Amino acid sequence: MATSVGAESSRTGLSRKSRSRNILSRIRHGQITGCGLSRGTQLPEALLQERDKRARWHGIPILLQRLYESSHPNSDLSQTHGVVKEMSSLLSMEAMSFVTEDRKTAQESTFPNTYTFDLFGGVDLLVEILMRPTLTTQKNSSKMSDDLVKDCLSVLYNCCICTEGVTKSLASRNDFVLFLFTLMTNKKTFLQTATLIEDILGVKKEMIQLEDIPNLPTLVQSFDQQQLANFCRILSVTISEPDVGNDDKHTLLAKNAQQKKNASPSRAEVNQVTLLNIPGFIERLCKLATRKVSEATGTSNFLQELEDWYTWLDNALVLDALMQMATEEAEHSSTESSDESSLATSPLRHRLPQSMKIVHEIMYKVEVLYVLCVLLMGRQRNQVHKMLAEFRLIPGLNNLFDKLIWRKQTSNHVLHGQNQNCDCSPEISFKIQFLRLLQSFSDHHENKYLLLNSQELNELSCISLKANIPEVEALVNTDRSLVCDGKKGLLTRLLAVMKREPADSSFRFWQARAVESFLRGATSYADQMFLLKRGLLEHILFCIIDSGCKSRDVLQSYFDLLGELMKFNSDAFRRFNKYVNTDEKFQIFLNQINSSLVDSNMLVRCIVLSLDRFENQTEDVKVVEVLSECCLLSYMSRVENRLSFLFRLVNIINVQTLTQENVSCLNTSLVVLMLARRKDKLPFYLKALREKEYSEKYPGCLLNNFHNLLRFWQRHYLNKDKDSTCLENSSCIPFSYWKETVSVLLSPDRTSLCAIASYIDEAYMDLDRDALEV
């Protein structure tokens, strides 16, 4: 912050006693010269001292006067540092109190010292001191020491966490935010700088553009592995869309409207491209993500960093937890290996226990995996996929699986939401980020076969050969030099862990999502049989029927996985019938489906589609046998049951409430009607919907709602930017038939027996027609 003319005058003429003691003289002088008071600390010292006693300012305004006088250009900055350290001691206890009280809402009365410091211009003064080297042209100006920079940053951070508005004020100064990035080149000030930047970016209204950071590629390339991992915490804020954590809570109507307004790429997408253009960036992240604990930072360096953390208050709780682990490990040092015992011979304060090294490494990997996951879900997905494969990310994670990723069974814990920012322990966060990465990596991408090893790829080939079906192209094209090594691939290891997971574990949701993503896309019989041979179907049915699971999120993930595993696979339906071998079990299964059709509709779609295909394969003895014996297929073959599902699917959604989560209900209802149309039964189903309306005494409501939903479907899925291949792949129905069926249903011709309009009485036409115009 540039020194004002008024401020300079206070250092010269206004320092005379006659003026320093008389506030009226200062005001009058300011009126005459136009150089009035610009800071609270320009008030007379006597006045400040007198008021200090009553207001309990603890001498902070006087200290700020001393700081201002000692920090002008060409001054001895050792005096400045002395004042900053004195100031820091006054503010640090408040910050420590704030952190240890779970960061309660900051109140000025609760933290009077930091409030007073900001009130008298302390925050602006420290910003000025830090940025002065960038504002002066004098070659002989004093150079700031690293310790002074660190202490200035610490005081600023204390103010950010204790005094409301300070962080937003700093965030509004784009020049200061960009300047902070230049301080990250210094290893001694890196940790303090990174933590302050992270706090500021968390409240910044407008996302920073990474390309505006001076010499960003050089900056990133200068980081060591620890610094790069810490930098990922900052990057996660700059490459994530603001509402990425609550994606399903925003309606598709609102999203579509937003996309029309913002046709150009978002800042987050631009930042993702900026990162990908930094030479070696993705390769270094892959190395960091797959680095073994034994290759982590040495003892002395990490202990020095812990000392920094001890003074860096935001990490105080983390440090307490690490030190507690260190103490516990010291008590059990007799059970350590010879290598670890040699480390344990020195006093605790001079050594780094293995458990602390592991948690330290895990905390870093969480940030790295999150950044990779976001990049995998972005517009540059194929480019990212190619690099992750080339740099052997998946084989590297496979080698870490048993010893680091799933090294032990985490104790029971409450179910966390789907938001990646949930407040979990480092180990829980690490496992969730790992599972999210696998989900993003496998989802509708041919590189999914990198999750297997060579032996498992051969097994897939044998399954296809035995079934007399061609191997899928993605399997044939997989580069075997990039797949997992060892006795088991990553997918197989995950299945083993999944089957051992406790009933109330929060990981069940993420595990099921990760495995399901391997099956998504065009249905592969070989992929299904690979998983069926490993008992996955029985495990899913146990979880749905026998485990007593109450979580809707977990049940939905298992319904979706079951649908992908059984679709078009007569062997899977035979296995289902063998497990669900009593009326009681089958009724429990149906009750779970019916309790939340939004959660289970993808499974309903799978059963309807499979039944339709099996009914057209009457020449296959195995299929005919399954059709006649399977209780699930028999249940869905009854038209009244299909109609019951159709009624409810159409009734539980409307245009205003459609989200990415429940739009599948609309598509499932369409699948039912498309299959009916193939058999010339569409008029029968539409007539049944009309009869349902009248029996429930709300004529026109159900069909008008469905009509509006289909009009929205046209706008949503016929958008040129919309990828509709997922609908085609998941149903094995050409997308042209989807479009054609919707057009037939929406035909305005009231004489057409396949048009919805012909089943709505004239008096009830166009109910809620305006809903779509939102």
Side-chain angles (χ1 to χ4, degrees):
M1 180 176 295
T3 305
S4 67
V5 177
E8 283 301 321
S9 67
S10 72
R11 283 181 173 147
T12 54
L14 284 181
S15 63
R16 294 193 295 271
K17 289 185 178 181
S18 60
R19 288 175 183 165
S20 65
R21 292 179 180 176
N22 192 324
I23 183 64
L24 292 178
S25 298
R26 290 199 170 200
I27 294 174
R28 197 172 295 120
H29 184 272
Q31 291 173 333
I32 296 170
T33 63
C35 302
L37 300 180
S38 60
R39 297 175 291 105
T41 51
Q42 287 179 276
L43 295 173
E45 185 173 330
L47 177 62
L48 291 176
Q49 288 178 337
E50 176 62 28
R51 182 59 186 162
D52 192 292
K53 298 174 184 176
R54 298 180 185 179
R56 296 181 180 178
W57 286 337
H58 300 103
I60 290 175
I62 306 299
L63 282 173
L64 281 172
Q65 278 191 334
R66 287 171 48 197
L67 181 61
Y68 188 81
E69 294 297 334
S70 67
S71 63
H72 59 82
N74 302 319
S75 62
D76 181 3
L77 291 182
S78 62
Q79 293 184 18
T80 304
H81 193 191
V83 179
V84 171
K85 286 198 290 187
E86 194 174 346
M87 197 81 68
S88 179
S89 64
L90 285 170
L91 306 183
S92 60
M93 292 308 296
E94 285 186 352
M96 179 66 79
S97 172
F98 183 73
V99 171
T100 55
E101 290 179 13
D102 298 326
R103 299 186 71 140
K104 295 177 181 177
T105 303
Q107 296 178 355
E108 294 161 3
S109 59
T110 310
F111 305 107
N113 288 352
T114 49
Y115 172 68
T116 303
F117 180 80
D118 181 46
L119 179 68
F120 281 88
V123 170
D124 290 337
L125 181 55
L126 285 188
V127 170
E128 178 188 338
I129 292 171
L130 284 170
M131 293 189 69
R132 184 170 291 143
T134 68
L135 301 176
T136 182
T137 58
Q138 299 180 28
K139 296 182 179 179
N140 298 324
S141 57
S142 302
K143 188 178 184 303
M144 293 182 66
S145 69
D146 294 336
D147 289 336
L148 173 56
V149 173
K150 286 170 65 175
D151 286 338
C152 286
L153 292 170
S154 296
V155 171
L156 284 177
Y157 185 71
N158 291 345
C159 292
C160 283
I161 63 176
C162 292
T163 303
E164 193 173 8
V166 171
T167 314
K168 289 183 179 179
S169 174
L170 294 177
S172 67
R173 293 199 51 175
N174 212 49
D175 59 337
F176 179 63
V177 176
L178 294 176
F179 164 75
L180 284 177
F181 281 94
T182 67
L183 296 182
M184 298 183 81
T185 56
N186 188 335
K187 290 188 177 183
K188 293 184 178 179
T189 61
F190 176 89
L191 187 61
Q192 285 77 7
T193 309
T195 313
L196 182 59
I197 291 175
E198 183 188 356
D199 211 60
I200 290 174
L201 293 186
V203 302
K204 194 168 175 57
K205 288 184 178 180
E206 193 172 62
M207 186 179 293
I208 190 172
Q209 288 192 219
L210 292 178
E211 59 186 16
D212 291 339
I213 298 173
N215 303 314
L216 178 64
T218 304
L219 175 68
V220 173
Q221 289 166 0
S222 73
F223 293 153
D224 60 27
Q225 290 294 71
Q226 284 185 192
Q227 290 174 323
L228 183 61
N230 263 315
F231 190 58
C232 284
R233 291 177 61 89
I234 294 170
L235 294 180
S236 65
V237 180
T238 66
I239 62 175
S240 303
E241 299 294 349
D243 61 343
V244 68
N246 302 308
D247 199 42
D248 294 333
K249 295 181 181 178
H250 296 282
T251 66
L252 292 180
L253 266 181
K255 285 185 177 181
N256 288 353
Q258 189 67 27
Q259 286 174 356
K260 285 183 180 179
K261 289 181 181 178
N262 303 321
S264 58
S266 66
R267 285 205 167 190
E269 291 170 332
V270 172
N271 285 340
Q272 291 175 24
V273 174
T274 300
L275 284 183
L276 292 175
N277 288 335
I278 297 177
F281 176 72
I282 296 296
E283 182 177 11
R284 290 190 66 192
L285 288 194
C286 289
K287 287 181 179 179
L288 188 51
T290 57
R291 181 177 66 172
K292 296 178 181 178
V293 180
S294 59
E295 299 168 358
T297 307
T299 305
S300 59
N301 290 343
F302 182 48
L303 284 177
Q304 178 58 49
E305 186 175 6
L306 286 180
E307 288 183 14
D308 290 338
W309 279 15
Y310 188 76
T311 58
W312 199 235
L313 302 174
D314 192 40
N315 293 291
L317 293 180
V318 175
L319 178 59
D320 288 343
L322 294 179
M323 292 310 296
Q324 182 179 356
M325 292 175 63
T327 304
E328 292 172 354
E329 178 134 344
E331 293 171 353
H332 297 89
S333 59
S334 60
T335 63
E336 295 175 333
S337 66
S338 58
D339 289 340
E340 292 168 333
S341 296
S342 64
L343 187 63
T345 55
S346 58
L348 178 63
R349 66 179 179 273
H350 294 310
R351 69 184 184 88
L352 176 62
Q354 183 70 5
S355 60
M356 190 180 288
K357 287 179 70 176
I358 289 173
V359 172
H360 172 241
E361 189 71 11
I362 283 174
M363 290 171 68
Y364 279 166
K365 290 186 188 301
V366 168
E367 310 303 336
V368 174
L369 291 184
Y370 178 73
V371 169
L372 291 176
C373 190
V374 173
L375 293 174
L376 265 177
M377 296 187 292
R379 290 192 180 188
Q380 313 301 315
R381 185 186 185 208
N382 287 333
Q383 179 188 352
V384 176
H385 244 291
K386 184 179 180 181
M387 289 191 284
L388 297 188
E390 178 186 347
F391 301 133
R392 297 180 55 81
L393 174 69
I394 298 302
L397 291 176
N398 187 47
N399 293 334
L400 289 178
F401 190 87
D402 291 330
K403 292 185 178 179
L404 187 66
I405 298 173
W406 233 274
R407 62 194 176 95
K408 64 178 181 179
Q409 184 61 59
T410 306
S411 58
N412 291 348
H413 46 271
V414 297
L415 182 72
H416 291 270
Q418 298 178 32
N419 190 338
Q420 74 277 2
N421 295 319
C422 70
D423 186 17
C424 313
S425 72
E427 190 158 358
I428 293 172
S429 297
F430 182 39
K431 291 178 180 179
I432 290 175
Q433 286 304 334
F434 164 76
L435 294 171
R436 282 172 56 86
L437 180 73
L438 288 195
Q439 177 186 349
S440 302
F441 188 87
S442 301
D443 192 18
H444 294 90
H445 203 281
E446 59 185 19
N447 274 351
K448 68 180 184 178
Y449 290 110
L450 298 183
L451 271 64
L452 309 181
N453 64 18
S454 293
Q455 184 178 346
E456 291 163 347
L457 292 178
N458 292 337
E459 183 181 339
L460 284 177
S461 300
C462 289
I463 293 172
S464 297
L465 182 63
K466 186 177 180 180
N468 196 28
I469 56 176
E471 293 182 70
V472 295
E473 189 176 348
L475 176 61
V476 175
N477 294 336
T478 296
D479 184 345
R480 298 207 170 204
S481 68
L482 302 176
V483 302
C484 294
D485 44 26
K487 295 180 179 179
K488 295 180 181 179
L490 200 47
L491 180 65
T492 305
R493 291 181 190 275
L494 177 58
L495 286 174
V497 165
M498 186 177 176
K499 290 163 71 172
R500 296 195 302 266
E501 204 65 40
D504 58 348
S505 169
S506 64
F507 296 126
R508 281 191 173 204
F509 170 85
W510 300 106
Q511 290 166 340
R513 280 282 178 259
V515 177
E516 183 212 342
S517 68
F518 180 80
L519 291 170
R520 285 183 194 158
T523 303
S524 167
Y525 174 80
D527 293 353
Q528 291 173 324
M529 293 307 300
F530 180 85
L531 297 175
L532 286 171
K533 287 170 64 177
R534 285 157 175 78
L536 179 59
L537 183 136
E538 289 77 9
H539 168 72
I540 297 172
L541 292 175
F542 170 80
C543 293
I544 294 173
I545 298 172
D546 301 315
S547 72
C549 177
K550 303 295 183 185
S551 166
R552 293 315 314 177
D553 283 341
V554 171
L555 286 171
Q556 179 188 355
S557 67
Y558 275 104
F559 283 134
D560 291 348
L561 175 54
L562 187 62
E564 292 292 343
L565 188 62
M566 296 180 65
K567 191 188 303 174
F568 307 132
N569 192 311
S570 59
D571 296 283
F573 279 91
R574 183 181 292 106
R575 283 173 175 257
F576 175 94
N577 211 50
K578 186 175 180 181
Y579 187 93
V580 186
N581 53 9
T582 66
D583 289 340
E584 181 184 5
K585 279 189 172 184
F586 186 58
Q587 197 55 51
I588 292 173
F589 183 76
L590 287 180
N591 289 342
Q592 290 282 45
I593 288 179
N594 288 315
S595 63
S596 179
L597 201 52
V598 172
D599 298 329
S600 62
N601 84 87
M602 294 295 287
L603 175 60
V604 172
R605 189 191 305 181
C606 147
I607 302 167
V608 171
L609 285 166
S610 301
L611 175 65
D612 180 76
R613 175 172 292 191
F614 294 158
E615 287 176 340
N616 294 319
Q617 293 178 334
T618 52
E619 74 285 350
D620 190 324
V621 177
K622 288 171 59 179
V623 171
V624 172
E625 184 180 300
V626 169
L627 270 174
S628 62
E629 294 179 358
C630 181
C631 57
L632 188 58
L633 292 172
S634 298
Y635 179 84
M636 195 60 76
S637 67
R638 294 194 282 274
V639 67
E640 64 271 20
N641 291 331
R642 293 202 299 277
L643 280 171
S644 175
F645 281 122
L646 179 62
F647 296 150
R648 292 166 57 206
L649 286 167
V650 174
N651 208 33
I652 58 180
I653 52 175
N654 58 58
V655 172
Q656 292 92 338
T657 60
L658 272 183
T659 65
Q660 199 64 48
E661 182 73 11
N662 62 28
V663 72
S664 57
C665 293
L666 174 57
N667 289 322
T668 299
S669 66
L670 260 177
V671 165
V672 174
L673 293 178
M674 282 191 294
L675 298 180
R677 181 177 171 230
R678 279 182 176 176
K679 298 179 180 180
D680 296 324
K681 295 286 183 68
L682 188 54
F684 171 81
Y685 278 77
L686 294 176
K687 184 180 178 181
L689 286 174
R690 185 177 189 276
E691 290 174 354
K692 179 70 173 176
E693 285 183 334
Y694 276 87
S695 67
E696 298 290 338
K697 301 192 182 334
Y698 51 94
C701 289
L702 192 66
L703 287 171
N704 268 299
N705 181 51
F706 192 43
H707 196 275
N708 284 336
L709 285 166
L710 292 180
R711 288 174 61 228
F712 173 83
W713 187 95
Q714 281 186 324
R715 294 190 181 186
H716 185 68
Y717 282 101
L718 302 186
N719 185 307
K720 64 179 180 179
D721 295 328
K722 194 70 180 176
D723 183 8
S724 54
T725 55
C726 58
L727 289 181
E728 189 169 89
N729 288 336
S730 67
S731 63
C732 287
I733 298 174
F735 189 65
S736 58
Y737 196 76
W738 284 78
K739 292 190 294 183
E740 187 181 302
T741 302
V742 172
S743 296
V744 167
L745 287 166
L746 291 179
S747 171
D749 182 5
R750 292 177 60 81
T751 64
S752 170
L753 295 179
C754 293
I756 294 175
S758 64
Y759 296 89
I760 305 176
D761 291 341
E762 193 77 41
Y764 304 118
M765 281 293 292
D766 295 336
L767 287 176
D768 297 324
R769 183 81 175 197
D770 294 337
L772 195 59
E773 310 306 324
V774 175

